[in-house]
PDB file of all heavy atoms in Angstrom:
ATOM      1  N   ARG A 407      -2.597  -3.784 -11.698  1.00 96.00           N
ATOM      2  CA  ARG A 407      -3.537  -4.117 -12.779  1.00 96.00           C
ATOM      3  C   ARG A 407      -4.179  -2.819 -13.251  1.00 96.00           C
ATOM      4  O   ARG A 407      -4.450  -1.929 -12.455  1.00 96.00           O
ATOM      5  CB  ARG A 407      -4.616  -5.078 -12.295  1.00 96.00           C
ATOM      6  CG  ARG A 407      -4.074  -6.441 -11.948  1.00 96.00           C
ATOM      7  CD  ARG A 407      -5.194  -7.326 -11.390  1.00 96.00           C
ATOM      8  NE  ARG A 407      -4.717  -8.666 -11.161  1.00 96.00           N
ATOM      9  CZ  ARG A 407      -4.728  -9.639 -12.059  1.00 96.00           C
ATOM     10  NH1 ARG A 407      -5.202  -9.417 -13.261  1.00 96.00           N
ATOM     11  NH2 ARG A 407      -4.271 -10.825 -11.759  1.00 96.00           N
ATOM     12  N   ILE A 408      -4.440  -2.718 -14.545  1.00 95.00           N
ATOM     13  CA  ILE A 408      -4.985  -1.484 -15.117  1.00 95.00           C
ATOM     14  C   ILE A 408      -6.328  -1.778 -15.772  1.00 95.00           C
ATOM     15  O   ILE A 408      -6.443  -2.724 -16.551  1.00 95.00           O
ATOM     16  CB  ILE A 408      -4.020  -0.892 -16.153  1.00 95.00           C
ATOM     17  CG1 ILE A 408      -2.689  -0.557 -15.492  1.00 95.00           C
ATOM     18  CG2 ILE A 408      -4.636   0.346 -16.816  1.00 95.00           C
ATOM     19  CD1 ILE A 408      -1.584  -0.263 -16.482  1.00 95.00           C
ATOM     20  N   THR A 409      -7.321  -0.968 -15.447  1.00 95.00           N
ATOM     21  CA  THR A 409      -8.637  -1.075 -16.072  1.00 95.00           C
ATOM     22  C   THR A 409      -9.113   0.310 -16.454  1.00 95.00           C
ATOM     23  O   THR A 409      -8.964   1.258 -15.676  1.00 95.00           O
ATOM     24  CB  THR A 409      -9.654  -1.738 -15.116  1.00 95.00           C
ATOM     25  OG1 THR A 409      -9.224  -3.061 -14.823  1.00 95.00           O
ATOM     26  CG2 THR A 409     -11.046  -1.783 -15.723  1.00 95.00           C
ATOM     27  N   ASN A 410      -9.673   0.438 -17.638  1.00 95.00           N
ATOM     28  CA  ASN A 410     -10.293   1.680 -18.096  1.00 95.00           C
ATOM     29  C   ASN A 410     -11.775   1.414 -18.282  1.00 95.00           C
ATOM     30  O   ASN A 410     -12.150   0.510 -19.023  1.00 95.00           O
ATOM     31  CB  ASN A 410      -9.687   2.146 -19.426  1.00 95.00           C
ATOM     32  CG  ASN A 410      -8.237   2.507 -19.274  1.00 95.00           C
ATOM     33  OD1 ASN A 410      -7.848   3.174 -18.332  1.00 95.00           O
ATOM     34  ND2 ASN A 410      -7.423   2.045 -20.196  1.00 95.00           N
ATOM     35  N   LEU A 411     -12.609   2.188 -17.603  1.00 95.00           N
ATOM     36  CA  LEU A 411     -14.059   2.071 -17.713  1.00 95.00           C
ATOM     37  C   LEU A 411     -14.592   3.318 -18.399  1.00 95.00           C
ATOM     38  O   LEU A 411     -14.256   4.433 -18.004  1.00 95.00           O
ATOM     39  CB  LEU A 411     -14.693   1.916 -16.328  1.00 95.00           C
ATOM     40  CG  LEU A 411     -14.227   0.704 -15.520  1.00 95.00           C
ATOM     41  CD1 LEU A 411     -14.793   0.751 -14.117  1.00 95.00           C
ATOM     42  CD2 LEU A 411     -14.628  -0.575 -16.205  1.00 95.00           C
ATOM     43  N   TYR A 412     -15.439   3.128 -19.401  1.00 95.00           N
ATOM     44  CA  TYR A 412     -15.951   4.236 -20.206  1.00 95.00           C
ATOM     45  C   TYR A 412     -17.398   4.544 -19.841  1.00 95.00           C
ATOM     46  O   TYR A 412     -18.206   3.624 -19.667  1.00 95.00           O
ATOM     47  CB  TYR A 412     -15.831   3.891 -21.693  1.00 95.00           C
ATOM     48  CG  TYR A 412     -14.392   3.708 -22.089  1.00 95.00           C
ATOM     49  CD1 TYR A 412     -13.783   2.458 -22.001  1.00 95.00           C
ATOM     50  CD2 TYR A 412     -13.633   4.783 -22.505  1.00 95.00           C
ATOM     51  CE1 TYR A 412     -12.448   2.305 -22.332  1.00 95.00           C
ATOM     52  CE2 TYR A 412     -12.300   4.624 -22.847  1.00 95.00           C
ATOM     53  CZ  TYR A 412     -11.709   3.383 -22.750  1.00 95.00           C
ATOM     54  OH  TYR A 412     -10.383   3.226 -23.073  1.00 95.00           O
ATOM     55  N   PHE A 413     -17.704   5.831 -19.718  1.00 96.00           N
ATOM     56  CA  PHE A 413     -19.027   6.281 -19.311  1.00 96.00           C
ATOM     57  C   PHE A 413     -19.557   7.339 -20.267  1.00 96.00           C
ATOM     58  O   PHE A 413     -18.787   8.076 -20.886  1.00 96.00           O
ATOM     59  CB  PHE A 413     -18.967   6.890 -17.902  1.00 96.00           C
ATOM     60  CG  PHE A 413     -18.679   5.891 -16.824  1.00 96.00           C
ATOM     61  CD1 PHE A 413     -17.379   5.507 -16.536  1.00 96.00           C
ATOM     62  CD2 PHE A 413     -19.710   5.336 -16.082  1.00 96.00           C
ATOM     63  CE1 PHE A 413     -17.112   4.587 -15.534  1.00 96.00           C
ATOM     64  CE2 PHE A 413     -19.459   4.407 -15.084  1.00 96.00           C
ATOM     65  CZ  PHE A 413     -18.155   4.034 -14.811  1.00 96.00           C
ATOM     66  N   THR A 414     -20.891   7.414 -20.339  1.00 94.00           N
ATOM     67  CA  THR A 414     -21.583   8.426 -21.123  1.00 94.00           C
ATOM     68  C   THR A 414     -22.547   9.160 -20.200  1.00 94.00           C
ATOM     69  O   THR A 414     -23.219   8.526 -19.376  1.00 94.00           O
ATOM     70  CB  THR A 414     -22.369   7.780 -22.282  1.00 94.00           C
ATOM     71  OG1 THR A 414     -21.450   7.072 -23.105  1.00 94.00           O
ATOM     72  CG2 THR A 414     -23.089   8.816 -23.111  1.00 94.00           C
ATOM     73  N   ARG A 415     -22.620  10.472 -20.359  1.00 92.00           N
ATOM     74  CA  ARG A 415     -23.562  11.257 -19.562  1.00 92.00           C
ATOM     75  C   ARG A 415     -24.953  11.082 -20.166  1.00 92.00           C
ATOM     76  O   ARG A 415     -25.130  11.216 -21.374  1.00 92.00           O
ATOM     77  CB  ARG A 415     -23.203  12.737 -19.572  1.00 92.00           C
ATOM     78  CG  ARG A 415     -24.118  13.576 -18.692  1.00 92.00           C
ATOM     79  CD  ARG A 415     -23.947  15.068 -18.933  1.00 92.00           C
ATOM     80  NE  ARG A 415     -22.582  15.512 -18.970  1.00 92.00           N
ATOM     81  CZ  ARG A 415     -21.907  15.995 -17.914  1.00 92.00           C
ATOM     82  NH1 ARG A 415     -22.476  16.070 -16.749  1.00 92.00           N
ATOM     83  NH2 ARG A 415     -20.662  16.406 -18.059  1.00 92.00           N
ATOM     84  N   THR A 416     -25.914  10.753 -19.316  1.00 87.00           N
ATOM     85  CA  THR A 416     -27.300  10.646 -19.746  1.00 87.00           C
ATOM     86  C   THR A 416     -28.142  11.575 -18.886  1.00 87.00           C
ATOM     87  O   THR A 416     -27.796  11.847 -17.741  1.00 87.00           O
ATOM     88  CB  THR A 416     -27.825   9.201 -19.624  1.00 87.00           C
ATOM     89  OG1 THR A 416     -27.651   8.757 -18.273  1.00 87.00           O
ATOM     90  CG2 THR A 416     -27.085   8.255 -20.555  1.00 87.00           C
ATOM     91  N   SER A 417     -29.220  12.063 -19.444  1.00 84.00           N
ATOM     92  CA  SER A 417     -30.122  12.957 -18.713  1.00 84.00           C
ATOM     93  C   SER A 417     -31.524  12.389 -18.732  1.00 84.00           C
ATOM     94  O   SER A 417     -32.022  11.975 -19.775  1.00 84.00           O
ATOM     95  CB  SER A 417     -30.129  14.351 -19.335  1.00 84.00           C
ATOM     96  OG  SER A 417     -28.856  14.938 -19.221  1.00 84.00           O
ATOM     97  N   THR A 418     -32.138  12.373 -17.557  1.00 84.00           N
ATOM     98  CA  THR A 418     -33.511  11.926 -17.419  1.00 84.00           C
ATOM     99  C   THR A 418     -34.244  12.913 -16.521  1.00 84.00           C
ATOM    100  O   THR A 418     -33.812  13.137 -15.385  1.00 84.00           O
ATOM    101  CB  THR A 418     -33.576  10.512 -16.795  1.00 84.00           C
ATOM    102  OG1 THR A 418     -32.767   9.639 -17.569  1.00 84.00           O
ATOM    103  CG2 THR A 418     -34.991   9.991 -16.758  1.00 84.00           C
ATOM    104  N   LYS A 419     -35.305  13.490 -17.037  1.00 86.00           N
ATOM    105  CA  LYS A 419     -36.118  14.436 -16.274  1.00 86.00           C
ATOM    106  C   LYS A 419     -35.268  15.535 -15.661  1.00 86.00           C
ATOM    107  O   LYS A 419     -35.426  15.893 -14.502  1.00 86.00           O
ATOM    108  CB  LYS A 419     -36.928  13.708 -15.204  1.00 86.00           C
ATOM    109  CG  LYS A 419     -37.908  12.713 -15.766  1.00 86.00           C
ATOM    110  CD  LYS A 419     -38.682  12.013 -14.674  1.00 86.00           C
ATOM    111  CE  LYS A 419     -39.604  10.974 -15.282  1.00 86.00           C
ATOM    112  NZ  LYS A 419     -40.328  10.234 -14.278  1.00 86.00           N
ATOM    113  N   GLY A 420     -34.321  16.042 -16.425  1.00 82.00           N
ATOM    114  CA  GLY A 420     -33.484  17.142 -15.970  1.00 82.00           C
ATOM    115  C   GLY A 420     -32.308  16.739 -15.103  1.00 82.00           C
ATOM    116  O   GLY A 420     -31.450  17.556 -14.799  1.00 82.00           O
ATOM    117  N   ALA A 421     -32.257  15.489 -14.673  1.00 84.00           N
ATOM    118  CA  ALA A 421     -31.143  15.020 -13.846  1.00 84.00           C
ATOM    119  C   ALA A 421     -30.109  14.354 -14.748  1.00 84.00           C
ATOM    120  O   ALA A 421     -30.440  13.548 -15.605  1.00 84.00           O
ATOM    121  CB  ALA A 421     -31.637  14.040 -12.799  1.00 84.00           C
ATOM    122  N   SER A 422     -28.854  14.695 -14.528  1.00 85.00           N
ATOM    123  CA  SER A 422     -27.758  14.143 -15.318  1.00 85.00           C
ATOM    124  C   SER A 422     -27.039  13.074 -14.509  1.00 85.00           C
ATOM    125  O   SER A 422     -26.805  13.235 -13.311  1.00 85.00           O
ATOM    126  CB  SER A 422     -26.796  15.274 -15.683  1.00 85.00           C
ATOM    127  OG  SER A 422     -25.727  14.777 -16.430  1.00 85.00           O
ATOM    128  N   THR A 423     -26.701  11.979 -15.175  1.00 89.00           N
ATOM    129  CA  THR A 423     -25.970  10.901 -14.516  1.00 89.00           C
ATOM    130  C   THR A 423     -24.974  10.291 -15.492  1.00 89.00           C
ATOM    131  O   THR A 423     -25.110  10.447 -16.696  1.00 89.00           O
ATOM    132  CB  THR A 423     -26.941   9.826 -13.972  1.00 89.00           C
ATOM    133  OG1 THR A 423     -26.209   8.883 -13.210  1.00 89.00           O
ATOM    134  CG2 THR A 423     -27.662   9.113 -15.094  1.00 89.00           C
TER     135      THR A 423
END
Side-chain angles (χ1 to χ4, degrees):
R407 293 177 175 271
I408 299 167
T409 298
N410 295 316
L411 301 173
Y412 297 89
F413 292 83
T414 301
R415 183 192 313 266
T416 56
S417 296
T418 306
K419 298 180 183 177
S422 179
T423 187

